[in-house]
Amino acid sequence: MTKTTLITGANRGIGLEMARRAAARGDRVLASVRDPERASELAALPGVTVLGFDVTDPDVLAEAAAQTGPLDLLICNAGQLRARGGIDDPEHTPEIWDSVLMTNVAGVFFTVRAFLPCLAQAPAPKIAVISSIMASSERAPGGSYLYRASKAAATNLARNLAVDLKDKGIAVGAYHPGWVRTDMGGSSADIDAGESAQGLLARFDALSLETTGVFEDYRGDPMAF
Ligand SMILES: NC(=O)c1ccc[n+]([C@@H]2O[C@H](COP(=O)([O-])OP(=O)(O)OC[C@H]3O[C@@H](n4cnc5c(N)ncnc54)[C@H](OP(=O)(O)O)[C@@H]3O)[C@@H](O)[C@H]2O)c1
């Protein structure tokens, strides 16, 4: 049976590559973008329907969910990396903290909450939260405070959602996609977005109610919470 997969932040980077690969293997892909005018590559992919929403807007998320039927896999991929420096980074403003925390943390929560009724209609629904090794308790080299804190919170959300949603039959995992050559990861990163997307989709396939609550990377290596 055809699976329906929804990916947020899919107009570029890892989200775009997950959309491409999920559609190529036969999923019905719903791919969300903030600005459909800047999503021509995504919109041209066969099997992909483009949805327009910002993950920080619960009303628009609710409207999108009301038009979505059964959902097998929800991938919370949209994310922002700002204030990459140390304490003195001028990007440490209330506005930038607000924007990153709203997207990386509240955006995950709002997206999951909006699409729960759709997930509940699928036979074996799953939620994947794209976190980062920068959230891992094993890695605290200093700097990038805002991003690290936001992804640590996103991982924590995933872990607690896994507990609450297990009885509803919904499995939840948090994932590090690798250090990936995208606008966010930069050109010196380790792997391309295709390799990351392929690995992540395989990890989501492996996710089950037995493994719900995992935090692992795109190769399946466990991450420390
Ligand atoms: N690249 C890496 O090395 C790396 C490593 C660890 C984790 N990650 C995580 O992997 C995910 C994808 O990263 P990427 O490298 O593909 O980043 P990217 O190229 O910067 O793309 C980020 C995507 O998120 C979308 N987005 C940002 N804020 C949004 C909002 N409020 N509502 C909806 N969409 C929003 C962007 O849309 P616009 O085009 O409209 O801005 C874009 O589609 C992120 O969660 C990131 O934190 C990446």
Side-chain angles (χ1 to χ4, degrees), residues 146-215:
L146 171 53
Y147 185 73
R148 288 184 200 284
S150 74
K151 289 297 188 180
T155 308
N156 187 275
L157 266 180
R159 203 176 175 189
N160 284 284
L161 285 166
V163 173
D164 279 343
L165 299 180
K166 190 168 187 179
D167 284 351
K168 297 185 196 304
I170 303 173
V172 186
Y175 298 90
H176 168 54
W179 184 24
V180 189
R181 290 188 291 275
T182 63
D183 292 344
M184 184 184 292
S187 56
S188 321
D190 291 334
I191 57 171
D192 65 27
E195 183 178 353
S196 173
Q198 190 172 324
L200 287 169
L201 290 174
R203 297 322 304 158
F204 309 156
D205 285 344
L207 176 66
S208 70
L209 289 174
E210 281 67 51
T211 60
T212 191
V214 288
F215 180 25

Coordinates of all heavy atoms in Angstrom, one line a residue, residues 146-215:
L146 N 22.8 28.8 21.1 CA 21.3 28.8 20.7 C 21.0 27.5 20.0 O 20.0 26.9 20.3 CB 21.1 30.1 19.9 CG 19.7 30.2 19.2 CD1 18.6 30.0 20.2 CD2 19.6 31.5 18.5
Y147 N 21.7 27.2 19.0 CA 21.4 26.0 18.2 C 21.5 24.7 19.0 O 20.7 23.9 19.0 CB 22.4 25.9 17.0 CG 22.1 24.8 16.0 CD1 21.0 24.8 15.2 CD2 22.9 23.6 16.0 CE1 20.7 23.8 14.3 CE2 22.6 22.6 15.1 CZ 21.5 22.7 14.3 OH 21.3 21.7 13.4
R148 N 22.6 24.6 19.8 CA 22.8 23.4 20.7 C 21.6 23.3 21.6 O 21.0 22.2 21.8 CB 24.0 23.5 21.5 CG 25.3 23.3 20.7 CD 26.5 23.4 21.7 NE 27.7 23.7 20.9 CZ 28.3 22.8 20.1 NH1 27.9 21.6 20.0 NH2 29.4 23.1 19.5
A149 N 21.2 24.4 22.3 CA 20.1 24.3 23.2 C 18.8 24.0 22.5 O 18.0 23.2 23.0 CB 19.9 25.7 23.9
S150 N 18.6 24.5 21.3 CA 17.3 24.3 20.6 C 17.2 22.8 20.2 O 16.2 22.2 20.3 CB 17.2 25.2 19.4 OG 18.1 24.7 18.3
K151 N 18.4 22.2 19.7 CA 18.3 20.8 19.3 C 18.3 19.9 20.5 O 17.7 18.8 20.4 CB 19.5 20.5 18.4 CG 19.4 21.2 17.0 CD 18.2 20.7 16.2 CE 18.2 21.2 14.8 NZ 17.0 20.7 14.0
A152 N 18.9 20.3 21.6 CA 18.8 19.4 22.8 C 17.3 19.4 23.2 O 16.7 18.4 23.6 CB 19.6 20.0 23.9
A153 N 16.6 20.5 23.1 CA 15.2 20.6 23.5 C 14.4 19.8 22.5 O 13.4 19.1 22.9 CB 14.7 22.0 23.5
A154 N 14.7 19.8 21.2 CA 14.0 19.0 20.2 C 14.1 17.5 20.5 O 13.2 16.8 20.4 CB 14.4 19.4 18.8
T155 N 15.3 17.1 20.8 CA 15.5 15.7 21.2 C 14.7 15.3 22.4 O 14.1 14.2 22.4 CB 17.0 15.5 21.4 OG1 17.8 16.0 20.4 CG2 17.3 14.0 21.6
N156 N 14.7 16.2 23.4 CA 13.9 16.0 24.6 C 12.4 15.8 24.3 O 11.7 15.0 24.8 CB 14.2 17.1 25.6 CG 13.6 16.8 26.9 OD1 12.4 17.1 27.1 ND2 14.3 16.2 27.8
L157 N 12.0 16.7 23.4 CA 10.6 16.6 22.9 C 10.3 15.2 22.3 O 9.3 14.6 22.6 CB 10.3 17.7 21.8 CG 9.7 19.0 22.2 CD1 9.6 19.8 20.9 CD2 8.4 18.9 22.9
A158 N 11.2 14.8 21.4 CA 11.0 13.5 20.8 C 10.9 12.4 21.8 O 10.1 11.5 21.7 CB 12.1 13.3 19.8
R159 N 11.8 12.5 22.7 CA 11.9 11.4 23.7 C 10.6 11.3 24.6 O 10.1 10.2 24.9 CB 13.1 11.7 24.6 CG 13.6 10.5 25.3 CD 14.8 10.9 26.1 NE 15.3 9.8 26.9 CZ 16.2 9.8 27.8 NH1 16.8 11.0 28.0 NH2 16.6 8.8 28.4
N160 N 10.1 12.5 24.9 CA 8.8 12.5 25.8 C 7.6 12.2 24.9 O 6.7 11.6 25.4 CB 8.7 13.8 26.5 CG 9.7 13.8 27.7 OD1 9.4 13.2 28.7 ND2 10.8 14.5 27.6
L161 N 7.6 12.7 23.7 CA 6.5 12.3 22.8 C 6.4 10.8 22.6 O 5.4 10.2 22.5 CB 6.6 13.0 21.4 CG 6.3 14.5 21.4 CD1 6.9 15.1 20.1 CD2 4.8 14.7 21.5
A162 N 7.6 10.2 22.5 CA 7.7 8.7 22.3 C 6.9 8.0 23.4 O 6.2 7.0 23.2 CB 9.1 8.2 22.3
V163 N 7.1 8.5 24.7 CA 6.4 7.9 25.8 C 4.9 8.1 25.7 O 4.1 7.2 25.8 CB 6.9 8.5 27.1 CG1 6.1 8.0 28.3 CG2 8.4 8.2 27.3
D164 N 4.5 9.3 25.4 CA 3.1 9.7 25.4 C 2.3 9.0 24.2 O 1.1 8.8 24.3 CB 2.9 11.2 25.4 CG 3.0 11.8 26.7 OD1 2.9 11.1 27.7 OD2 3.2 13.1 26.8
L165 N 3.0 8.8 23.1 CA 2.3 8.4 21.9 C 2.4 6.9 21.7 O 1.8 6.3 20.8 CB 2.9 9.1 20.7 CG 2.7 10.6 20.7 CD1 3.2 11.3 19.5 CD2 1.2 11.0 20.9
K166 N 3.2 6.2 22.6 CA 3.3 4.7 22.4 C 2.0 4.0 22.5 O 1.7 3.1 21.6 CB 4.3 4.2 23.4 CG 4.7 2.7 23.2 CD 5.9 2.3 24.0 CE 6.3 0.9 23.5 NZ 7.4 0.4 24.3
D167 N 1.2 4.4 23.4 CA -0.1 3.8 23.6 C -1.1 4.0 22.4 O -2.0 3.3 22.2 CB -0.9 4.3 24.8 CG -0.3 3.6 26.1 OD1 0.6 2.7 25.9 OD2 -0.6 4.1 27.2
K168 N -0.8 5.1 21.7 CA -1.6 5.4 20.5 C -1.0 4.7 19.2 O -1.5 4.9 18.1 CB -1.6 6.9 20.2 CG -2.3 7.7 21.3 CD -2.4 9.2 20.8 CE -2.7 10.1 22.0 NZ -3.9 9.9 22.7
G169 N 0.1 3.9 19.4 CA 0.7 3.1 18.3 C 1.6 4.0 17.4 O 1.9 3.6 16.3
I170 N 2.0 5.2 17.9 CA 2.9 6.0 17.1 C 4.3 6.0 17.6 O 4.6 6.3 18.8 CB 2.4 7.5 17.1 CG1 0.9 7.6 16.7 CG2 3.3 8.4 16.3 CD1 0.3 8.9 16.8
A171 N 5.3 5.6 16.8 CA 6.7 5.5 17.1 C 7.4 6.8 16.8 O 7.1 7.5 15.8 CB 7.4 4.4 16.4
V172 N 8.3 7.3 17.7 CA 9.0 8.6 17.5 C 10.5 8.4 17.7 O 10.9 7.7 18.6 CB 8.5 9.6 18.6 CG1 9.1 11.0 18.4 CG2 7.0 9.6 18.7
G173 N 11.2 9.0 16.8 CA 12.7 9.0 16.9 C 13.3 10.3 16.7 O 12.7 11.2 16.0
A174 N 14.5 10.5 17.2 CA 15.3 11.8 17.0 C 16.5 11.4 16.2 O 17.1 10.3 16.5 CB 15.6 12.5 18.3
Y175 N 17.0 12.2 15.3 CA 18.0 11.7 14.3 C 19.0 12.9 14.1 O 18.7 14.0 13.9 CB 17.4 11.3 13.0 CG 16.5 10.1 13.2 CD1 15.1 10.3 13.5 CD2 17.0 8.8 13.2 CE1 14.3 9.3 13.7 CE2 16.1 7.8 13.4 CZ 14.8 8.0 13.7 OH 14.0 6.9 13.9
H176 N 20.3 12.5 14.0 CA 21.4 13.3 13.6 C 21.6 13.0 12.1 O 22.0 11.8 11.8 CB 22.7 13.1 14.4 CG 23.9 13.8 13.8 ND1 23.9 15.1 13.5 CD2 25.1 13.3 13.5 CE1 25.1 15.4 12.9 NE2 25.8 14.3 12.9
P177 N 21.5 13.9 11.2 CA 21.6 13.6 9.7 C 23.1 13.5 9.2 O 23.3 13.3 8.0 CB 20.9 14.8 9.1 CG 21.1 15.9 10.0 CD 21.1 15.3 11.4
G178 N 24.1 13.6 10.1 CA 25.5 13.7 9.7 C 25.8 15.2 9.5 O 24.9 16.1 9.7
W179 N 27.1 15.4 9.2 CA 27.4 16.8 8.9 C 27.3 16.9 7.4 O 28.1 16.3 6.6 CB 28.9 17.1 9.4 CG 29.3 18.6 9.2 CD1 28.4 19.6 9.0 CD2 30.6 19.1 9.0 NE1 29.2 20.8 8.8 CE2 30.5 20.5 8.8 CE3 31.8 18.5 9.1 CZ2 31.6 21.3 8.6 CZ3 33.0 19.3 8.9 CH2 32.8 20.7 8.7
V180 N 26.4 17.7 6.9 CA 25.9 17.6 5.5 C 26.1 18.9 4.7 O 25.9 20.0 5.2 CB 24.4 17.3 5.5 CG1 23.9 16.9 4.1 CG2 24.1 16.1 6.5
R181 N 26.6 18.7 3.5 CA 26.8 19.9 2.6 C 25.5 20.5 2.1 O 25.0 20.1 1.1 CB 27.7 19.5 1.4 CG 29.2 19.2 1.8 CD 30.1 18.9 0.6 NE 29.8 17.7 -0.1 CZ 30.2 16.5 0.2 NH1 31.0 16.3 1.2 NH2 29.9 15.5 -0.6
T182 N 25.0 21.5 2.9 CA 23.8 22.2 2.6 C 24.1 23.7 2.9 O 25.2 24.0 3.4 CB 22.6 21.8 3.5 OG1 23.0 22.0 4.8 CG2 22.4 20.3 3.3
D183 N 23.1 24.5 2.7 CA 23.3 26.0 3.1 C 23.7 26.0 4.6 O 24.6 26.8 5.0 CB 22.0 26.8 2.9 CG 21.7 26.9 1.5 OD1 22.6 26.7 0.6 OD2 20.5 27.2 1.2
M184 N 23.1 25.2 5.4 CA 23.4 25.2 6.9 C 24.8 24.5 7.2 O 25.6 25.1 7.9 CB 22.3 24.4 7.6 CG 22.5 24.5 9.1 SD 21.3 23.5 10.1 CE 19.8 24.4 9.8
G185 N 25.0 23.4 6.6 CA 26.2 22.6 6.9 C 27.5 23.2 6.3 O 28.6 23.0 6.8
G186 N 27.4 23.9 5.2 CA 28.5 24.5 4.5 C 29.2 23.5 3.5 O 28.9 22.3 3.6
S187 N 30.1 24.1 2.7 CA 30.7 23.2 1.7 C 31.8 22.3 2.2 O 32.2 21.4 1.5 CB 31.3 24.2 0.6 OG 32.2 25.1 1.2
S188 N 32.3 22.5 3.4 CA 33.3 21.6 3.9 C 32.8 20.4 4.7 O 33.6 19.6 5.2 CB 34.2 22.3 4.9 OG 34.5 23.6 4.6
A189 N 31.5 20.2 4.7 CA 30.9 19.2 5.5 C 31.2 17.8 4.9 O 31.7 17.7 3.8 CB 29.3 19.3 5.6
D190 N 30.9 16.7 5.7 CA 31.4 15.4 5.4 C 30.7 14.7 4.2 O 31.3 14.0 3.5 CB 31.2 14.5 6.6 CG 32.1 14.8 7.8 OD1 33.2 15.4 7.5 OD2 31.8 14.6 8.9
I191 N 29.4 14.9 4.2 CA 28.6 14.1 3.2 C 27.7 15.0 2.4 O 27.3 16.1 2.9 CB 27.8 12.9 3.9 CG1 26.9 13.5 5.0 CG2 28.7 11.9 4.5 CD1 25.9 12.5 5.6
D192 N 27.2 14.4 1.3 CA 26.2 15.2 0.6 C 24.8 14.9 1.1 O 24.6 13.9 1.8 CB 26.3 15.1 -1.0 CG 26.0 13.7 -1.4 OD1 25.3 12.9 -0.8 OD2 26.6 13.3 -2.5
A193 N 23.8 15.7 0.7 CA 22.5 15.6 1.2 C 21.8 14.3 0.8 O 21.0 13.8 1.5 CB 21.6 16.8 0.8
G194 N 22.2 13.8 -0.4 CA 21.6 12.5 -0.9 C 22.0 11.4 0.0 O 21.1 10.6 0.4
E195 N 23.3 11.3 0.4 CA 23.7 10.2 1.3 C 23.0 10.3 2.7 O 22.6 9.3 3.2 CB 25.2 10.3 1.5 CG 25.8 9.2 2.4 CD 27.3 9.2 2.5 OE1 28.0 10.0 1.9 OE2 27.8 8.4 3.3
S196 N 22.9 11.5 3.2 CA 22.2 11.7 4.5 C 20.7 11.3 4.4 O 20.2 10.5 5.2 CB 22.3 13.2 4.9 OG 21.5 13.4 6.0
A197 N 20.1 11.7 3.3 CA 18.6 11.4 3.1 C 18.4 9.9 3.0 O 17.5 9.4 3.6 CB 18.1 12.2 1.9
Q198 N 19.3 9.3 2.2 CA 19.1 7.8 2.0 C 19.3 7.1 3.4 O 18.5 6.2 3.7 CB 20.2 7.4 1.1 CG 20.0 5.9 0.6 CD 21.0 5.6 -0.5 OE1 21.3 6.4 -1.4 NE2 21.4 4.4 -0.5
G199 N 20.3 7.5 4.2 CA 20.5 6.9 5.5 C 19.3 7.1 6.4 O 18.9 6.2 7.1
L200 N 18.9 8.4 6.4 CA 17.8 8.7 7.3 C 16.5 7.9 7.0 O 15.8 7.4 7.9 CB 17.5 10.2 7.2 CG 18.5 11.2 7.9 CD1 18.2 12.6 7.5 CD2 18.5 11.0 9.4
L201 N 16.2 7.8 5.7 CA 14.9 7.1 5.3 C 15.0 5.6 5.8 O 14.0 5.1 6.2 CB 14.7 7.2 3.8 CG 14.2 8.6 3.4 CD1 14.1 8.7 1.8 CD2 12.9 9.1 4.0
A202 N 16.2 5.1 5.7 CA 16.4 3.7 6.1 C 16.2 3.6 7.6 O 15.6 2.6 8.1 CB 17.8 3.2 5.7
R203 N 16.7 4.6 8.4 CA 16.5 4.6 9.8 C 15.0 4.7 10.2 O 14.5 4.1 11.1 CB 17.3 5.7 10.5 CG 18.8 5.6 10.4 CD 19.4 4.2 10.5 NE 19.0 3.5 11.7 CZ 19.0 2.2 11.8 NH1 19.4 1.4 10.8 NH2 18.7 1.6 12.9
F204 N 14.3 5.6 9.4 CA 12.9 5.7 9.7 C 12.1 4.4 9.4 O 11.2 4.0 10.2 CB 12.2 6.8 8.9 CG 12.9 8.2 9.0 CD1 12.8 9.1 7.9 CD2 13.7 8.5 10.1 CE1 13.5 10.3 8.0 CE2 14.4 9.7 10.1 CZ 14.3 10.6 9.1
D205 N 12.6 3.7 8.4 CA 12.0 2.4 8.1 C 12.2 1.4 9.3 O 11.3 0.6 9.6 CB 12.6 1.7 6.9 CG 12.1 2.4 5.6 OD1 11.1 3.1 5.6 OD2 12.8 2.2 4.5
A206 N 13.3 1.5 9.9 CA 13.7 0.6 11.0 C 13.0 1.0 12.3 O 12.9 0.2 13.3 CB 15.2 0.6 11.2
L207 N 12.5 2.2 12.4 CA 11.8 2.7 13.7 C 10.6 1.9 13.9 O 9.8 1.6 13.0 CB 11.5 4.2 13.5 CG 10.8 4.8 14.7 CD1 11.6 4.8 16.0 CD2 10.4 6.3 14.3
S208 N 10.3 1.5 15.2 CA 9.1 0.7 15.5 C 8.7 1.1 16.9 O 9.5 1.8 17.6 CB 9.4 -0.8 15.4 OG 10.3 -1.1 16.5
L209 N 7.6 0.5 17.4 CA 7.2 0.8 18.8 C 8.2 0.1 19.8 O 8.3 0.5 20.9 CB 5.8 0.2 19.0 CG 4.7 1.0 18.3 CD1 3.4 0.3 18.5 CD2 4.6 2.5 18.9
E210 N 9.0 -0.9 19.3 CA 10.0 -1.5 20.1 C 11.2 -0.6 20.3 O 11.8 -0.6 21.3 CB 10.5 -2.8 19.5 CG 9.6 -4.0 19.7 CD 8.3 -3.9 19.0 OE1 8.3 -3.6 17.8 OE2 7.2 -4.0 19.6
T211 N 11.5 0.2 19.3 CA 12.7 1.1 19.4 C 12.3 2.6 19.6 O 13.1 3.5 19.5 CB 13.5 1.0 18.1 OG1 12.7 1.4 17.0 CG2 14.0 -0.4 17.8
T212 N 11.0 2.8 19.8 CA 10.6 4.2 20.0 C 11.4 5.0 21.0 O 11.7 4.4 22.1 CB 9.0 4.3 20.2 OG1 8.6 5.7 20.1 CG2 8.6 3.8 21.6
G213 N 11.7 6.3 20.8 CA 12.5 7.0 21.7 C 14.0 7.0 21.4 O 14.7 7.6 22.1
V214 N 14.3 6.4 20.3 CA 15.8 6.4 19.9 C 16.3 7.8 19.6 O 15.5 8.7 19.2 CB 16.1 5.5 18.7 CG1 15.9 4.1 18.9 CG2 15.2 6.0 17.5
F215 N 17.6 8.0 19.8 CA 18.3 9.1 19.2 C 19.6 8.5 18.6 O 20.4 8.0 19.2 CB 18.7 10.1 20.4 CG 19.5 11.3 19.9 CD1 19.4 11.8 18.6 CD2 20.3 12.0 20.8 CE1 20.1 13.0 18.3 CE2 21.0 13.1 20.5 CZ 20.9 13.6 19.2

